[in-house]
Amino acid sequence: MHILVLHGPNLNLLGTREPDVYGFDTLAGINEALTLLADDLSISLTCFQSNSEGELIDRIQAAAHDCDGIVINPAAYTHTSVAIRDALSAVALPVVEVHLSNIHCREEFRTRSFIAPVAVGQITGFGPDSYLLGLRALFNHIKKGL
Ligand code: DQA
């Protein structure tokens, strides 16, 4: 099983970006924890971050050929991107949407997700654990379907 983990814009700044909201963990640290979990689950993982909507879409399209599912933190694109949602629908892979912060108890504009309706589920508010829970949930979901 091969899973793609996608990180959206500004998540490369984790560690120094608004630590009161996002904590002090870096993206490299999160990817390392995900890789350890992937090893435990005996699956392979590709992690990719971009600040560009087009690059994220290109990676989603490529995943149709080489991945079994996607864990995505679309960051701000969660609330704006019909294009990322359409790409996820197009590839028809199982998707889990994750967020470090709880998007439902922040500003009103963050409560709307364009991605949630095309995801298996959404995990939000558990810091880096959101990613680990998301990977486990996606793994279990895919295994059930195998
Ligand atoms: C985020 C929440 C989004 O609203 C925000 O734009 C982000 C990060 C999170 O992980 O909590 O960049 O996706």
Side-chain angles (χ1 to χ4, degrees):
M1 193 188 296
H2 184 199
I3 302 296
L4 174 65
V5 178
L6 285 179
H7 308 282
N10 299 307
L11 294 172
N12 55 310
L13 300 179
L14 286 177
T16 55
R17 176 192 180 197
E18 298 180 81
D20 48 318
V21 178
Y22 299 114
F24 288 98
D25 290 285
T26 62
L27 193 62
I30 291 172
N31 286 340
E32 209 174 295
L34 282 165
T35 303
L36 286 177
L37 176 57
D39 287 349
D40 277 358
L41 299 173
S42 300
I43 61 177
S44 69
L45 204 67
T46 301
C47 299
F48 179 77
Q49 188 275 334
S50 179
N51 294 323
S52 148
E53 191 174 24
E55 279 185 8
L56 291 164
I57 290 166
D58 288 345
R59 198 61 195 80
I60 291 166
Q61 290 185 8
H65 309 291
D66 63 4
C67 293
D68 301 296
I70 301 174
V71 174
I72 183 167
N73 183 348
Y77 289 138
T78 307
H79 320 297
T80 63
S81 183
V82 175
I84 289 179
R85 174 199 174 126
D86 284 353
L88 292 170
S89 289
V91 299
L93 291 169
V95 173
V96 174
E97 176 187 345
V98 302
H99 299 280
L100 296 152
S101 64
N102 182 346
I103 60 170
H104 300 291
C105 64
R106 297 181 61 193
E107 300 95 328
E108 172 71 25
F109 69 85
R110 290 186 206 276
T111 62
R112 182 179 68 166
S113 169
F114 280 105
I115 309 305
V118 298
V120 179
Q122 182 191 68
I123 300 174
T124 185
F126 295 98
D129 280 347
S130 291
Y131 283 94
L132 299 172
L133 292 165
L135 180 57
R136 273 190 192 281
L138 183 60
F139 172 80
N140 289 342
H141 175 84
I142 292 170
K143 267 189 67 176
K144 266 190 267 167
L146 288 179

